[in-house]
Amino acid sequence: MTHRMNFYNTNNLNVLFNLISCNNFPLTNDDSLDTIGRKIFSIFSFVTQFLYFVASGLVLFLIPLELLMRTNIINTLSNVQIFILAFYTYYRQSGFKELIGKINEALIDDKTLEDLVIKSTKPIEKVMKMYITFGFTAIMYWVLIAFREVFKKNEFEYIDYGIPAYFAKEPFSTTTFIYGNTIVVLGVFFVISKKYSIYVYMIHAINLVTAEYKYLKTDLVNILSDAVEKEDYGNEINDVKNRPDDFNKKTIPTRNEKLIQDRLKKWIQYHHHLLEIRDLLKAHLTLGVSMLYVNNIVRFCCMGYLVITMPLSLYEIFVVLLFNTTSLIEIFVICYSIQKLLDASIDITTEAFHGDWYIHRVPIQRTFNLIMFADHMKCELFAFELVSLTLPTFVTILQQAYTACLFFMNMN
């Protein structure tokens, strides 16, 4: 990277979807990205989505329950989730700007940190591109294929749209259908873009903080090992290692003790800064994590119920399974990212502990002991302050969705 890393320039996918979705989530800690063209595009997006939400909402009262389950239940659930998360993010703009400002401050100009950021973000970015490609293909094909009805008939019903919607009382003309389905297609495009933008945004923030925690771990090892001049004290170090009973009686003095103390002081300041980021991350992403947890349980339950009980064509089953696959990838990636963040936050001192920290003088040893005591302040994201969204929770979500599906099938 030719420029200093920040939240904006470390993930092009995040920038792209924030732009085309018109979410306008904070990507910097100022308003430097707000342009006239972007505001005009946002207005167009808002009007299109408003028409789409109203039309797809009104039709819920006009079509039979079975058709609603087949065509609109997942769409309705997704719309509710996206609306709540987008509104929450707009409402907490200042808080998210503060979070991004803190993350950017921690992204110091350091080659080790740069490598860790790349290792933490790029593999996930590739998976997200695959997940988004599959998701967009399934959903947009579902709504675009509705246009083929134009060649089959002259009068149309609510369910002929890609997503059932109310723009005029049925039956309505071909012109009304084309205009209406165009709004549906654009509305679905913007809504799905919003959804992906929210997830990419959350995951990117989590992965950057993970990289910063990993940098803490690596930097602590370097501080306690680089400053030790082993070429002068190598035999003495080995002597101390071979006589563990003498750890408290003999330490190896180093010529760079003052340098080590200064670097440890900066390390502690960086760690304190990360604790502030941890608190902001919990404060601003808790709702997103909670909505993700509930929405995925309901989504998998409805999808399972839909495939098992409803008479679907092979085409419909294929699209549902493809959408389910993308949903699995989505929740797995988020659980995986949060798991890596948790692991990184509780594993800061392990490698340094197995190093040569004990050869330093007592003040440095005491400082390191204090750092070890602080190594239990984990960074963990909870759904409703009850369920930690980690890899074991991924399995729990599938189990609960399966149980709920069986319950509704027995009721039916």
Side-chain angles (χ1 to χ4, degrees):
M1 297 179 185
T2 55
H3 303 288
R4 177 175 170 174
M5 296 179 297
N6 55 51
F7 189 86
Y8 178 81
N9 65 19
T10 48
N11 191 322
N12 293 330
L13 190 66
N14 184 38
V15 176
L16 174 64
F17 271 90
N18 197 55
L19 175 65
I20 65 176
S21 68
C22 297
N23 271 338
N24 296 328
F25 293 159
L27 296 177
T28 62
N29 55 342
D30 55 35
D31 299 320
S32 58
L33 298 178
D34 289 340
T35 62
I36 298 298
R38 190 170 183 174
K39 290 179 180 178
I40 293 174
F41 186 56
S42 297
I43 293 173
F44 170 73
S45 171
F46 174 80
V47 172
T48 304
Q49 289 177 78
F50 177 77
L51 293 174
Y52 166 68
F53 278 132
V54 171
S56 61
L58 289 175
V59 82
L60 298 178
F61 305 98
L62 301 173
I63 60 176
L65 180 60
E66 181 178 339
L67 284 176
L68 175 64
M69 287 292 297
R70 287 182 58 182
T71 59
N72 221 24
I73 185 66
I74 302 300
N75 173 63
T76 303
L77 292 172
S78 297
N79 288 348
V80 171
Q81 179 194 20
I82 293 164
F83 176 80
I84 292 175
L85 290 178
F87 177 79
Y88 174 78
T89 307
Y90 295 143
Y91 178 72
R92 302 291 291 269
Q93 284 264 353
S94 59
F96 277 98
K97 286 181 180 179
E98 182 184 4
L99 171 62
I100 291 167
K102 293 284 187 182
I103 291 175
N104 287 343
E105 288 175 19
L107 290 172
I108 58 178
D109 190 9
D110 185 281
K111 185 65 172 65
T112 302
L113 178 57
E114 182 177 324
D115 291 340
L116 289 170
V117 167
I118 292 173
K119 289 178 182 178
S120 296
T121 59
K122 293 307 176 184
I124 298 297
E125 188 176 344
K126 291 179 181 178
V127 174
M128 292 300 291
K129 286 178 180 178
M130 179 184 69
Y131 143 69
I132 289 171
T133 300
F134 286 157
F136 250 120
T137 300
I139 296 168
M140 295 309 297
Y141 182 73
W142 181 280
V143 293
L144 283 170
I145 203 172
F147 279 115
R148 67 181 179 179
E149 297 298 320
V150 171
F151 303 102
K152 297 180 179 180
K153 53 187 178 181
N154 297 320
E155 292 186 341
F156 299 87
E157 301 175 342
Y158 305 134
I159 61 173
D160 290 326
Y161 291 119
I163 298 293
Y166 175 84
F167 292 101
K169 188 175 180 179
E170 62 180 7
F172 43 85
S173 66
T174 302
T175 303
T176 302
F177 173 76
I178 292 174
Y179 284 136
N181 204 55
T182 300
I183 293 175
V184 168
V185 169
L186 290 174
V188 169
F189 173 81
F190 284 122
V191 168
I192 296 304
S193 297
K194 276 186 177 296
K195 170 189 171 182
Y196 292 148
S197 176
I198 291 170
Y199 290 145
V200 172
Y201 190 86
M202 289 173 55
I203 291 170
H204 185 49
I206 291 169
N207 287 333
L208 284 181
V209 178
T210 301
E212 290 166 353
Y213 268 108
K214 289 181 178 179
Y215 172 73
L216 266 183
K217 175 182 178 179
T218 303
D219 193 44
L220 183 60
V221 173
N222 293 337
I223 290 171
L224 295 175
S225 60
D226 289 352
V228 179
E229 301 176 23
K230 294 185 178 181
E231 65 273 19
D232 295 331
Y233 298 103
N235 293 331
E236 293 178 89
I237 292 173
N238 291 329
D239 187 46
V240 173
K241 287 182 178 179
N242 294 329
R243 291 186 291 140
D245 293 338
D246 291 342
F247 279 180
N248 295 325
K249 299 176 183 179
K250 181 178 180 179
T251 57
I252 305 293
T254 69
R255 299 171 189 170
N256 299 318
E257 182 179 4
K258 181 66 168 63
L259 174 63
I260 299 174
Q261 290 176 331
D262 291 341
R263 291 180 66 185
L264 282 176
K265 191 176 296 182
K266 291 180 180 179
W267 189 95
I268 292 171
Q269 291 173 348
Y270 192 96
H271 185 237
H272 178 73
H273 186 80
L274 270 191
L275 292 179
E276 293 178 354
I277 293 176
R278 179 201 64 175
D279 294 339
L280 288 172
L281 202 67
K282 289 181 178 180
H284 299 307
L285 295 190
T286 297
L287 178 64
V289 169
S290 301
M291 290 294 297
L292 186 73
Y293 178 76
V294 173
N295 187 265
N296 275 281
I297 292 176
V298 176
R299 181 192 301 174
F300 289 130
C301 170
C302 292
M303 284 292 189
Y305 185 83
L306 190 66
V307 171
I308 294 172
T309 62
M310 297 292 176
L312 301 178
S313 65
L314 288 176
Y315 154 72
E316 289 175 325
I317 292 175
F318 172 76
V319 174
V320 167
L321 291 178
L322 184 58
F323 183 70
N324 242 0
T325 302
T326 61
S327 299
L328 283 170
I329 296 173
E330 169 191 302
I331 186 63
F332 176 81
V333 169
I334 292 184
C335 288
Y336 173 81
S337 298
I338 296 176
Q339 180 71 60
K340 298 296 285 186
L341 174 61
L342 173 62
D343 294 342
S345 67
I346 60 177
D347 189 35
I348 298 174
T349 61
T350 303
E351 189 174 345
F353 176 77
H354 294 289
D356 297 331
W357 61 273
Y358 47 80
I359 68 173
H360 297 287
R361 293 184 178 232
V362 173
I364 293 178
Q365 292 185 22
R366 286 176 178 169
T367 302
F368 180 68
N369 286 330
L370 290 174
I371 290 173
M372 289 185 62
F373 280 121
D375 191 23
H376 302 289
M377 304 177 73
K378 61 179 74 171
C379 185
E380 200 167 7
L381 297 178
F382 287 89
F384 304 106
E385 299 185 358
L386 294 173
V387 182
S388 177
L389 210 65
T390 53
L391 286 178
T393 307
F394 172 72
V395 179
T396 302
I397 289 173
L398 298 181
Q399 290 175 339
Q400 291 179 342
Y402 175 73
T403 302
C405 181
L406 290 180
F407 173 75
F408 286 117
M409 288 178 63
N410 289 333
M411 285 184 61
N412 192 39

